Amino acid sequence: MDNPFRPVYKELSEEQKLAVDTIKEKAMELYEALHTLCPDKCDQRMMALAKTNLEQAAMWAVKGLTA
C-alpha cells in the first residue's frame, strides 16, 4: 500500500512550482473577493464554510499537481 503521507520530500519541476504558485495566487484572489464582497451583511457561517472549502480545494489541487 502506498504511503499517503509522503515520507520523502519530492523535488518539484519548474512547471509544477509555477502551477502551485498560480493555484495559490488565484485562491487568494477569490478569498480576498469573498471578504470584500460580503463584509457584515452576509451569513458569517456560510462565508466561513466558503473560505474553508476554498482552502481545502487549493490544498487538494496542489496535492494533485505534486503527487
Side-chain angles (χ1 to χ4, degrees):
M1 179 167 82
D2 290 332
N3 184 342
F5 302 108
R6 298 187 195 178
V8 178
Y9 176 76
K10 177 183 174 184
E11 189 68 36
L12 302 180
S13 69
E14 289 303 314
E15 184 177 317
Q16 287 173 311
K17 290 177 187 176
L18 180 59
V20 166
D21 288 345
T22 300
I23 286 173
K24 290 180 179 183
E25 287 171 16
K26 297 297 182 184
M28 190 61 196
E29 287 175 20
L30 183 52
Y31 190 90
E32 290 172 345
L34 291 172
H35 180 72
T36 301
L37 297 172
C38 291
D40 298 328
K41 301 175 205 166
C42 296
D43 182 297
Q44 295 304 304
R45 180 180 173 275
M46 290 184 191
M47 291 307 297
L49 285 168
K51 290 176 180 179
T52 298
N53 282 286
L54 174 59
E55 293 168 2
Q56 188 177 46
M59 176 199 67
W60 284 116
V62 168
K63 187 166 182 158
L65 282 168
T66 60

